[in-house]
Amino acid sequence: MILYNSITRKKEPFTPLDPKHVKMYVCGPTVYDRAHIGNARPVVVFDVLFRMLKHLYDTVTYVRNITDIDDKIMTAAAKKQVSIQHITTENTRFYNEDMTALGALPPTQTPKATEHIQEMIQMIEDLIQKKFAYAKDGHVVFDVERNNTYGKLSRLNLDDQISGARVEVAPYKKNPQDFVLWKPSDDTQPGWDSPWGRGRPGWHIECSAMVKKHLGKTFDIHGGGIDLIFPHHENEIAQSECCHDGSPFARYWMHNGHLIVNGEKMSKSLGNFFTVEELRDTYAGEAIRLTLLSAHYRQPLDWRPEVVAQSTAILDRFYTALEGCPDAPGTVSDAFLNCLKDDLNVPEALSQLHTMVSNIHKEKDLFQKQTLQRNCKASANLLGLLESTAENWFQGTESDDVLWIEDMIEKRHQAKKNKDFKEADTIRDKLREKGILLEDTSNGTTWKRK
RNA sequence: GGCCGGGUGGCAGAGUGGUUAUGCAGAGGACUGCAACUCCUUGUACGCUGGUUCGAUUCCGGUCCCGGCCUCCA
């Protein structure tokens, strides 16, 4: 497999440190609110990577953290007059529900920041002892000047940070670029005892601590949104590599492009976002997923309703091709796999899928057709698509009106037999009003919900 | 000011130094009682401008426009 590595800015052949065991970490959510569709893009993108890696290697450990201590959570709790734990457990549950609806597999592990406070404190102590960090006024701050490789991921030159940039001036920092590892908490704020008094961790140290615990000092792939390159990932590298005496941190860095709306970045601070929850009310989870996969993961993706409608139309066609697909395993197409091996070229893989679907429709021999169907399904499954059945996709799982539908179809059948086409069309129109579309085939009439 | 992406047919979106994906939508046809599904046919697009080349959408330069990052962010 070939992957684009953000730190070298080149496509590189991927070779895991342990040829039988790939280790991957992706930055997960800060659980202060419901996920928006932009939060879902990295989840779906790295879910495809996870599926690919599992297909190609014996063992894959995929860690995605839950950040459940953060000032945004504190603000949300205060605003809603509920406990912090209420906010975090509820939003964690919502997050998992939303991502499951988008067809994302659960990662191997989903560690929580609050369950790794001791590990963070230990790393911070190491960094102080090695003189990469200093304590002042209850804060512990990373000393960027002591880290001479600082900036290697983002390639930002510290001296060039001039006007236009927001540079925080905090009294406890030696340099404006220094970032906080630990900060003090007052009695109203959540906090843990530490060598520097009661306090809580800064933003970046949680990921370093959880990576170290679950994947070790050096691991294979670190992923996240492109906006995390600076400062989050840059700071993770600094903390971890300084703490580990220069042992390399992630070997491959992967960043997904932003989701945009009407040409503008979608973000909570701009207010131009859709939550996954509200989109799920309108569209099938799988259609949302296909839309998120419609552009290459490193490209920006413009979220527009027409594209989701297009994705739905594509899935209709795909599932039509899978009607009668036996429930048996198939083989992933080589042409399809090769697309994905080239830095997850999903759009090109999808075009292979279209070819397969077309061949299924044209195949007359039933046995051949079923083989093609199984292989098509196996291929699509690598993208987390076509995991349902045609019946479920078209007819849904609610069944209270199925008897009525079948009754109407039978009545129409009788009318057609009597050449009473007017009555037959009346019945069909009546069903259409209820969102039921009929299709006459050589084996009788089938129906779909629209 | 610094750093980084991107501009492809009505729309979405890959890719490539020359045979110019793929899909959605549209048009025509076949099938059908009529439809739907499906099948067949149909679309020479790569911001502008120089250069390199036999040949550039693809390489190089310039230029215009759009977007992102520069400590809230996926």
Side-chain angles (χ1 to χ4, degrees), chain A residues 103-164:
Chain A
L105 299 171
T108 324
Q109 291 177 72
T110 52
K112 292 180 176 161
T114 52
E115 291 169 4
H116 296 76
I117 300 291
Q118 287 315 311
E119 285 85 347
M120 295 187 222
I121 289 174
Q122 183 59 54
M123 278 190 96
I124 296 170
E125 284 195 296
D126 283 0
L127 286 167
I128 292 175
Q129 193 231 318
K130 290 173 181 171
K131 306 239 188 302
F132 289 111
Y134 55 92
K136 184 147 191 252
D137 306 337
H139 291 77
V140 182
V141 183
F142 187 90
D143 190 344
V144 166
E145 279 199 338
R146 287 269 298 137
N147 177 210
N148 54 22
T149 60
Y150 190 79
K152 67 179 174 179
L153 176 66
S154 59
R155 301 192 192 181
L156 290 177
N157 185 336
L158 296 181
D159 300 330
D160 289 340
Q161 298 206 353
I162 14 177
S163 63

Side-chain angles (χ1 to χ4, degrees), chain A residues 150-372:
Chain A
Y150 190 79
K152 67 179 174 179
L153 176 66
S154 59
R155 301 192 192 181
L156 290 177
N157 185 336
L158 296 181
D159 300 330
D160 289 340
Q161 298 206 353
I162 14 177
S163 63
R166 291 165 291 170
V167 177
E168 184 185 348
V169 187
Y172 48 83
K173 288 184 181 179
K174 287 205 293 203
N175 284 300
Q177 303 88 358
D178 291 353
F179 58 91
V180 172
L181 300 168
W182 187 265
K183 54 183 157 188
S185 295
D186 66 29
D187 292 344
T188 66
Q189 295 169 322
W192 290 261
D193 290 330
S194 80
W196 319 284
R198 186 171 170 282
R200 59 191 193 279
W203 173 28
H204 319 290
I205 192 70
E206 67 202 81
C207 285
S208 285
M210 287 186 272
V211 165
K212 181 179 188 177
K213 179 166 181 190
H214 298 283
L215 298 175
K217 291 177 184 173
T218 301
F219 65 107
D220 296 305
I221 300 170
H222 192 135
I226 194 168
D227 55 329
L228 291 182
I229 288 178
F230 191 88
H232 187 53
H233 290 161
E234 194 70 67
N235 291 354
E236 277 186 55
I237 294 173
Q239 292 161 350
S240 293
E241 296 192 348
C242 289
C243 184
H244 301 147
D245 306 315
S247 294
F249 188 53
R251 301 174 60 238
Y252 298 82
W253 286 89
M254 292 178 69
H255 294 96
N256 62 274
H258 263 126
L259 200 129
I260 59 179
V261 177
N262 298 323
E264 252 194 335
K265 178 179 144 174
M266 174 194 288
S267 75
K268 289 193 177 170
S269 48
L270 289 175
N272 61 343
F273 61 93
F274 305 102
T275 64
V276 175
E277 179 191 28
E278 61 193 352
L279 290 169
R280 280 213 276 149
D281 287 342
T282 318
Y283 307 107
E286 192 167 356
I288 299 172
R289 180 181 181 96
L290 179 56
T291 306
L292 289 173
L293 291 174
S294 65
H296 183 90
Y297 77 91
R298 284 192 277 118
Q299 296 300 124
L301 179 72
D302 202 349
W303 186 268
R304 299 172 41 206
E306 305 92 289
V307 182
V308 198
Q310 182 176 309
S311 297
T312 307
I314 291 168
L315 288 169
D316 281 344
R317 180 173 158 80
F318 282 6
Y319 273 115
T320 300
L322 288 193
E323 277 169 354
C325 178
D327 187 16
T331 310
V332 175
S333 141
D334 282 339
F336 175 88
L337 193 61
N338 286 337
C339 297
L340 292 182
K341 280 182 173 175
D342 182 10
D343 193 33
L344 297 182
N345 194 335
V346 173
E348 206 168 359
L350 284 170
S351 80
Q352 291 294 328
L353 223 45
H354 277 105
T355 306
M356 287 185 248
V357 163
S358 202
N359 289 337
I360 290 169
H361 282 305
K362 284 184 223 170
E363 182 57 58
K364 297 280 186 286
D365 180 80
L366 183 63
F367 177 77
Q368 284 298 330
K369 181 170 182 160
Q370 291 188 336
T371 304
L372 292 175

Side-chain angles (χ1 to χ4, degrees), chain A residues 15-196:
Chain A
T15 47
L17 211 51
D18 174 349
K20 290 187 181 308
H21 186 173
V22 180
K23 296 177 181 177
M24 167 162 91
Y25 185 93
V26 174
C27 289
T30 299
V31 282
Y32 69 102
D33 201 358
R34 298 236 24 162
H36 68 232
I37 187 64
N39 299 122
R41 169 118 105 142
V43 174
V44 168
V45 163
F46 291 106
D47 181 63
V48 170
L49 180 62
F50 182 38
R51 288 166 190 263
M52 266 299 278
L53 293 170
K54 288 207 296 182
H55 187 254
L56 298 172
Y57 297 93
D58 293 341
T59 311
V60 182
T61 300
Y62 170 23
V63 179
R64 189 180 66 209
N65 66 292
I66 299 279
T67 296
D68 56 353
I69 171 68
D70 182 275
D71 288 7
K72 288 195 290 297
I73 297 171
M74 286 155 53
T75 308
K79 201 171 160 190
K80 285 191 165 180
Q81 307 259 41
V82 294
S83 71
I84 282 173
Q85 222 202 0
H86 178 89
I87 294 281
T88 57
T89 50
E90 184 176 61
N91 283 308
T92 301
R93 197 181 80 239
F94 288 153
Y95 184 82
N96 290 333
E97 284 171 10
D98 285 343
M99 298 313 142
T100 301
L102 299 186
L105 299 171
T108 324
Q109 291 177 72
T110 52
K112 292 180 176 161
T114 52
E115 291 169 4
H116 296 76
I117 300 291
Q118 287 315 311
E119 285 85 347
M120 295 187 222
I121 289 174
Q122 183 59 54
M123 278 190 96
I124 296 170
E125 284 195 296
D126 283 0
L127 286 167
I128 292 175
Q129 193 231 318
K130 290 173 181 171
K131 306 239 188 302
F132 289 111
Y134 55 92
K136 184 147 191 252
D137 306 337
H139 291 77
V140 182
V141 183
F142 187 90
D143 190 344
V144 166
E145 279 199 338
R146 287 269 298 137
N147 177 210
N148 54 22
T149 60
Y150 190 79
K152 67 179 174 179
L153 176 66
S154 59
R155 301 192 192 181
L156 290 177
N157 185 336
L158 296 181
D159 300 330
D160 289 340
Q161 298 206 353
I162 14 177
S163 63
R166 291 165 291 170
V167 177
E168 184 185 348
V169 187
Y172 48 83
K173 288 184 181 179
K174 287 205 293 203
N175 284 300
Q177 303 88 358
D178 291 353
F179 58 91
V180 172
L181 300 168
W182 187 265
K183 54 183 157 188
S185 295
D186 66 29
D187 292 344
T188 66
Q189 295 169 322
W192 290 261
D193 290 330
S194 80
W196 319 284

